[in-house]
Amino acid sequence: MSRLLEMRNINKFYYGNQVLKDVTITLDEGEILGLVGENGAGKSTLMNILFGMPVIHSTGGFGGEIVFKGERVNIDSPMKAMELGIGMVHQEFMLLPGFTVTENIKLNREITKPNFLSMVFGKRLELLDMEPMREEARKALDTIGMHSIDEMHLVAGLPVAHKQFVEIAREIDKRSLKLLVLDEPTAVLTESEAEILLNVVRLLSQKGISIIFISHRLHEVLEVAHKIVILRDGAVVGEGPKEKFTLFEIAEKMVGRKVENLELPPRKVPLDENKIIMSIKDLHVHMPGEEVKGFSIDIREGEILGIGGLAGQGKLGVANGIFGMYPATGKVTYMGKEYQLNSPLFALKNGIVYVSEDRRGVGLLLDESVEMNIVATAIQAFGMFTKRFLGFTIYDRKAIREHALRMIKELDIRCKGPAQPVRRLSGGNQQKVCLARAFTLNPKVLFVSEPTRGIDVGAKKLVLDYLVKLNREHGITIVLTSSELAELKSICDRIAIVCEGKLAAVLPPTASDVEFGLAMAGELEEVKAHG
Amino acid sequence: MQKRMSLKDILIANAVPITFFILTFLAVLVAKIPILFLLSEIVRRLSRNTFLVLALIIPVVAGLGLNFAIVLGAMAAQAALFFVVDWGITGLSGILLAIVISSVISIFLGWIAGKTLNRAKGREMITSMILGFFANGVYQLIFLFFVGSLIPFKKTDFLLPQGVGLRNTVDLFGIVDGALNDLLTLNIGFITIYIVPLIFVVGLCVFLTFLLKTKLGQDFKAVGQDMHIARTAGIDVDKTRIIAVILSTVFASIGQVIYLQDIGTINTYNSHEQIGLFSIAALLVGGASVKKANIWNAILGVILFHALFVVAPSAGNRLFGQPQIGEFFREFIAYAVIAFALAMHGWRSRKGK
Amino acid sequence: MVNFGSLREAIKRIDIPTLIIVFFLIGLFILAAATKVSVTTLLSDSIVRIGMNGVLVLAMLPTIRAGIGPNFGLPVGIIGGLLGGLIVMQYQVAGPIGFWIAVGISIVINFVLGWIYAWLLDKVRGQEMMVETYVGYSIVAFMSIMWLVLPFTNPEMIWAIGGKGLRYTLTLQNYFDKALNNFLRFQIGKNFSFPTGLVVFFAGSCYLVWLFFKTRPGLAIDLTGQNELYAISSGVNPKKARRNAVILSTVIAGVGILVYAQSYGFLQLYQAPLFMTFPAVASILIGGASIRRATITNVVLGTILFQTLLTVSLPVLSQVTRGDITEVLRLIVSNGMILYALTRTPKEAS
């Protein structure tokens, strides 16, 4: 086997944050590389670099070099990647629903035949030659064993799994295909469908096509890959033939982190395990990409509960569902009474406040001032900061200003003043504005999602400290949802791991990385059961 | 998902043409218009208007929606005809010259329109409409104030008394009036059929059918379905959209030449304005939507829409004793059909999410 | 106290087209001074036109702030306003009191019309601007039929001969003509008269709307327009907020056309309502609004710039060329402005 691809010493910065650190991977012809890592570990960024995605080049390019078939190459656009023979099956489907399977497989690579007009006006006026297109599509489908997919069927009516295979067939059909990247190809498949897909992957490998297989289902990776690369925080933390690894080791390496122990201040009143402030039973949340399918947990009064899990597993859906941002069903009891889902106003009125993971999309009015961002919800929901004027109840600039100045001081929000639009603040300061807004609403239970995403280290600590302060000094119950396990471990009393929309495990912050890793992959139970 | 459409689905999917058919049918009954007269009118309007309506199809396929900017093509055609009139080139050669000049102008205008619409993705229709209004302003500036002053114009009887600016109507009589119509006619009793414009229409139908089977047509369809996916597959989305707008504008200009040689006079400041509205309404009446249109929608639409157009005034007169009511009514229908189609589009695309 | 830093910021934020129009306007005034045109008359006329058009421009504010763009369906509200005026004429309520009654009636009618209109717009989220435009056209065509068949009988309103249907333009001379313009009107010198009532009414309307946007329902509209998800997470029902905005816009449009009519001296029926929309949209955009953000300042500034431009250009340009060039100019400026607003890449996109 000869060397196909080498990505050497890849470095990448996003807005001053280093997201890839000296990453080197190599791949031989026909080899299957399993790429694993938590979200944010750098997998997508690495693949985006390999595929020449515009997002890489619009953010300053990358450091390091790519060697393909022994030659240094400069992949500056997806077209270039395709020309080299690199194909990618994206997580979201890249299929046109109104076209047939054939038309999709041959999209922009149609077979045409010349005619009178095309000789005058150029190739684009050549007629499509459906028959050979159809034959080639058929061949591509047969190659991956998908004899049952009708190549003339409209994609719109196909089952999800078939769409996935059509995508693969399209890549196969590119005759020059040397390397295929599969990004979470089994995420939408049932177990038996996933099994078929793994067989297809093996088949392709036998045909000499190299594969980069990205999946969070670790057992699949172990089953199909020849070698495994584990990324964590943008660096390679484990690499080698798959025989070198066990499920445990992968899980541990994937999440393992030196935990900085925050000095947590003591509670005035110790936690009472039996004092339940909110009890969630069988929660379903219809949040695209973060579906919750029957999640249950009891939240204890005064605790900091962490919710962790991999992306797409539904951890973000929980808070969104409870607060009413996405349609939810289930039985929730709050302070002994029935809790009304799907009404943010009800939530607010009952002291439940939510700080969204989507800071810029949900949490802020980007073009509004710092002060309006802090108080708008309080005015709207509770009529705080208002006064009577000419028979109108209008908001009171003076009261708003006073409160805003107080919050700016308390949270150390670095801004030019309360009137500055929040768009120009740094991520950390924007997050502080979100927290100030939440605190202004006098929460009893505060749901905070991904509070430290995309902010620098110093601000991270401040944000977490503030959450602890709210918890200890004001007795606010906090539900912290985060992709960063270290963060959860540092301040939470308990950590719930969500997998496939359900509660996978509730672990103490002192639990081992292996346990967390397995719980996230949904295999803690399995491993426990089978030893 | 059910594959077979029930009768109810078919009725709902074709609600607009069916409603329109009933409406027209009732109006015909009320108006008591001789059926032969109606038939001859419809045949004439088919040869006169269909080309313009067909010009709208490509942008719909390419995902730009209804191209209100076809008025740019209409303006180009009028500009070309003014000069043909000025140079006194008569008959078929005048028409052919007008077609060539207007096509050249339209390619340029279509390119600008395409560029503009590419900057307004997601709100192409309103932008194309405003673009039409804006162009109308520039058109008026040129033909009211520049012609005769900056732009020389010899036929002074078509100019306003001060010698600057075109009059409200420019007569094509004796120049290119009926130049295509009269080449070849077929008389069946009371009905006169103008063969040549119909050949143009059929020619465009054939060309559109051909075009949609080419690589370019496939790209139109791909871009029309999902720009992002098309771009990822390596299709130059912006360029493809510009080509769609250029083709539409050029066809519209040829259509307007055909239309005007049939009418015989140019309403200098109005002819192009109504074209956008009536062509779009006709296409929608034929069962097209903002996302789907074919040549049959265009043909059926012209027949239904213009049948109502012919009978509405007399129907209004019979019902209310005022022909004006019928005129307002057909105008209302034109607008309401578009409003309805747009509302359905908005409603569907919301439901789809 | 002038803060130069914020002044520079403000200038930087002014759109290029707005700047062009400002310079064009200054040029026109210089030209006016150079020719024999009386600048004081121009100013006086400008003020009247600003007052009579301003309320219609104000009607654009609520829908823009609710995030559904300028209200291209302005004719809906205008129809309600016209109906108010027509009813007053039918019952022969003479004098300025008729104006206030007409306003009252139009508000009631437009509340209902606005409600229905808002319901429709909610069904077509994302396509509002197009649907608005064609609903506007449709209602104007429909009402043209209604003007012919509605049972109005006042001989001053219907066609003299035949006696069926309303006239194209109805003179308000014996009704509420200049009801606002002449209220506390005063004269300075020979050529300058100040329509106090009109200006006060416009200013008052702006102030009321400004106050409204400081109340909770007003804030709800703002939040919905700026970030619907933020609004939801603040307990706002965005549907309701948008509905309120559309109703408010429709009601203001009705009042606006009555203000316009009393100053103009005529009620214009049939096609006329169509010609009010685009200048109003253009005005607020010229004032610096975008199709997603607008303030009262944009309304006032835009109305002043656009109307002054139209008033001044007519006499000044007619010295150079035919006067009807201003009509063409209006077309180009207003549609060019809207086109610019539609095609510019939003500043917000970072």
Side-chain angles (χ1 to χ4, degrees), chain B residues 9 26 33 39 72 76 89 158 160 163 192 214 275 278 300:
Chain B
D9 290 337
L26 291 177
I33 281 185
L39 217 57
L72 268 66
I89 300 165
F158 289 133
L160 291 168
T192 309
T214 62
I275 276 314
F278 291 151
L300 180 66

Side-chain angles (χ1 to χ4, degrees), chain C residues 312-334:
Chain C
V312 176
S313 59
L314 176 62
V316 173
L317 287 182
S318 60
Q319 307 260 324
V320 192
T321 174
R322 287 202 317 271
D324 51 354
I325 197 168
T326 51
E327 196 49 34
V328 176
L329 199 71
R330 189 178 64 84
L331 260 180
I332 295 179
V333 169
S334 56

Side-chain angles (χ1 to χ4, degrees), chain C residues 200-280:
Chain C
V200 167
F201 189 90
F202 176 43
S205 311
C206 287
Y207 188 67
L208 273 182
V209 172
W210 181 76
L211 267 187
F212 173 75
F213 275 98
K214 300 189 79 152
T215 64
R216 277 159 81 179
L219 185 65
I221 293 176
D222 255 350
L223 297 184
T224 306
Q226 288 197 38
N227 183 343
E228 188 167 342
L229 292 170
Y230 184 98
I232 293 172
S233 74
S234 298
V236 172
N237 179 348
K239 269 189 183 188
K240 217 164 125 187
R242 275 193 291 264
R243 187 183 67 205
N244 289 344
V246 172
I247 293 175
L248 182 63
S249 172
T250 308
V251 166
I252 296 175
V255 177
I257 195 65
L258 288 169
V259 174
Y260 182 90
Q262 64 79 32
S263 179
Y264 187 54
F266 299 94
L267 280 182
Q268 296 167 289
L269 304 180
Y270 300 92
Q271 302 287 318
L274 290 181
F275 303 112
M276 311 309 294
T277 312
F278 291 104

Side-chain angles (χ1 to χ4, degrees), chain A residues 64-232:
Chain A
E65 58 179 12
I66 302 176
V67 178
F68 196 77
K69 287 200 280 188
E71 271 175 59
R72 244 196 98 167
V73 288
N74 173 24
I75 304 176
D76 50 7
S77 72
M79 279 312 277
K80 185 71 188 286
M82 283 183 230
E83 278 164 29
L84 287 173
I86 303 171
M88 182 153 175
V89 175
H90 298 265
Q91 247 174 306
E92 80 269 36
F93 291 127
M94 289 291 195
L95 297 173
L96 294 170
F99 275 0
T100 61
V101 170
T102 299
E103 284 172 309
N104 268 294
I105 289 177
K106 301 302 274 184
L107 184 62
N108 207 28
R109 293 180 300 105
E110 293 89 350
I111 300 164
T112 56
K113 53 187 176 205
N115 55 54
F116 162 68
L117 280 172
S118 71
M119 288 171 198
V120 183
F121 293 106
K123 270 187 84 71
R124 273 186 115 179
L125 282 184
E126 288 185 357
L127 281 168
L128 299 189
D129 199 352
M130 257 320 176
E131 217 27 62
M133 278 170 67
R134 192 176 161 169
E135 279 162 23
E136 290 194 6
R138 185 69 264 160
K139 219 174 95 198
L141 286 168
D142 289 343
T143 310
I144 56 170
M146 288 299 121
H147 307 286
S148 63
I149 299 178
D150 177 2
E151 76 276 11
M152 293 312 280
H153 201 288
L154 277 188
V155 160
L158 288 183
V160 180
H162 283 187
K163 286 185 186 171
Q164 186 83 58
F165 290 119
V166 171
E167 289 241 8
I168 295 172
R170 184 185 61 207
E171 299 307 318
I172 302 300
D173 184 58
K174 297 172 182 167
R175 246 148 295 171
S176 59
L177 187 75
K178 294 276 176 294
L179 168 62
L180 181 61
V181 180
L182 297 168
D183 190 359
E184 299 282 0
T186 57
V188 292
L189 305 185
T190 64
E191 223 154 283
S192 57
E193 288 166 344
E195 198 50 51
I196 299 173
L197 186 123
L198 294 187
N199 284 332
V200 169
V201 170
R202 287 191 196 99
L203 195 77
L204 293 177
S205 145
Q206 280 158 19
K207 288 182 191 290
I209 295 170
S210 312
I211 296 199
I212 297 180
F213 186 86
I214 302 173
S215 175
H216 74 268
R217 294 185 181 172
L218 300 182
H219 69 91
E220 283 175 2
V221 176
L222 270 176
E223 205 177 305
V224 77
H226 298 126
K227 79 177 191 194
I228 289 173
V229 168
I230 305 167
L231 281 181
R232 188 174 75 217

Side-chain angles (χ1 to χ4, degrees), chain C residues 29 76 86 99 185 193 213 253 263 271 275 284 319 332 349:
Chain C
F29 268 106
V76 177
L86 290 173
F99 174 76
R185 180 189 204 102
S193 84
F213 275 98
S263 179
Q271 302 287 318
F275 303 112
I284 196 166
Q319 307 260 324
I332 295 179

Side-chain angles (χ1 to χ4, degrees), chain B residues 68 116-117 119-120 122-123 125-131 133-142 144-145 160 162 164-165 277 280 290 320-322 324-325 328-339 342-350 353, chain C residues 72 120-127 129-131 133-135 137-142 144-145 148-149 159 164-165 168 239 242 270-271 274 278 291 321-329 331-339 341-346:
Chain B
F68 288 81
T116 310
L117 296 186
R119 289 181 59 109
R123 40 174 187 261
M125 282 194 277
I126 185 95
T127 308
S128 71
M129 191 172 87
I130 302 289
L131 184 63
F133 293 151
F134 178 73
N136 189 31
V138 177
Y139 173 91
Q140 289 191 16
L141 190 68
I142 294 173
L144 260 180
F145 297 96
L160 291 168
Q162 301 95 321
V164 174
L277 169 68
I280 285 168
V290 172
F320 304 98
Q322 276 171 298
Q324 247 188 328
I325 289 192
F328 284 131
F329 181 69
R330 69 182 184 189
E331 197 174 298
F332 168 66
I333 288 291
Y335 289 129
V337 161
I338 300 180
L342 292 168
M344 284 307 286
H345 169 60
W347 183 63
R348 282 209 190 108
S349 52
R350 249 198 94 192
K353 263 177 202 164
Chain C
F72 282 97
L120 175 70
L121 290 186
D122 181 64
K123 294 272 164 242
V124 300
R125 268 303 281 137
Q127 286 291 320
M129 286 190 277
M130 271 323 274
V131 174
T133 308
Y134 275 89
V135 165
Y137 281 131
S138 305
I139 196 168
V140 165
F142 177 75
S144 296
I145 301 174
L148 289 172
V149 298
W159 291 111
K164 236 185 175 181
Y168 280 139
K239 269 189 183 188
R242 275 193 291 264
Y270 300 92
Q271 302 287 318
L274 290 181
F278 291 104
I291 54 174
T321 174
R322 287 202 317 271
D324 51 354
I325 197 168
T326 51
E327 196 49 34
V328 176
L329 199 71
L331 260 180
I332 295 179
V333 169
S334 56
N335 290 309
M337 194 63 225
I338 301 173
L339 201 56
L342 283 170
T343 52
R344 72 174 176 178
T345 33

Side-chain angles (χ1 to χ4, degrees), chain B residues 186-209:
Chain B
L186 183 64
N187 287 299
I188 305 173
F190 188 59
I191 303 169
T192 309
I193 303 171
Y194 300 115
I195 303 289
V196 178
L198 279 179
I199 291 177
F200 269 74
V201 169
V202 172
L204 184 56
C205 287
V206 171
F207 178 73
L208 286 177
T209 313

